[in-house]
Amino acid sequence: GMLMLNETSGEIWKMFEEPSTLKDAIDKLKEIYEIDADEDEIEDDIVMFVLESAARGTMIEIVEGKEKI
């Protein structure tokens, strides 16, 4: 079957269309969804999404302007 990103995953994906830090993405999504700054659940969700995306090769880490190998 076909897969599609849900709304939150889509927003996370947009955060990384241009290079962005994980912290910047978390802060922006907390702002978008009006989540309390102390709320850790969205941070866990974002980290999990990024780690899974990196494991699948759909997201890469950039270190000092170069791809991290």
Side-chain angles (χ1 to χ4, degrees):
M2 296 179 65
L3 298 173
M4 184 173 144
L5 296 174
N6 65 25
E7 181 182 350
T8 304
S9 295
E11 289 296 335
I12 295 170
W13 194 258
K14 287 179 193 176
M15 297 292 119
F16 293 102
E17 286 180 336
E18 296 291 326
S20 180
T21 67
L22 193 53
K23 181 181 180 337
D24 289 344
I26 290 167
D27 291 345
K28 183 65 175 173
L29 286 164
K30 283 182 176 182
E31 181 181 316
I32 289 170
Y33 290 103
E34 299 177 356
I35 295 173
D36 183 34
D38 295 330
E39 180 65 48
D40 291 331
E41 184 177 340
I42 194 165
E43 292 181 30
D44 294 342
D45 291 346
I46 295 167
V47 169
M48 183 61 69
F49 179 86
V50 169
L51 291 175
E52 289 176 0
S53 296
R56 288 185 173 91
T58 57
M59 195 174 284
I60 58 170
E61 181 177 1
I62 305 289
V63 178
E64 296 180 25
K66 298 180 183 177
E67 288 184 25
K68 183 177 178 183
I69 299 174

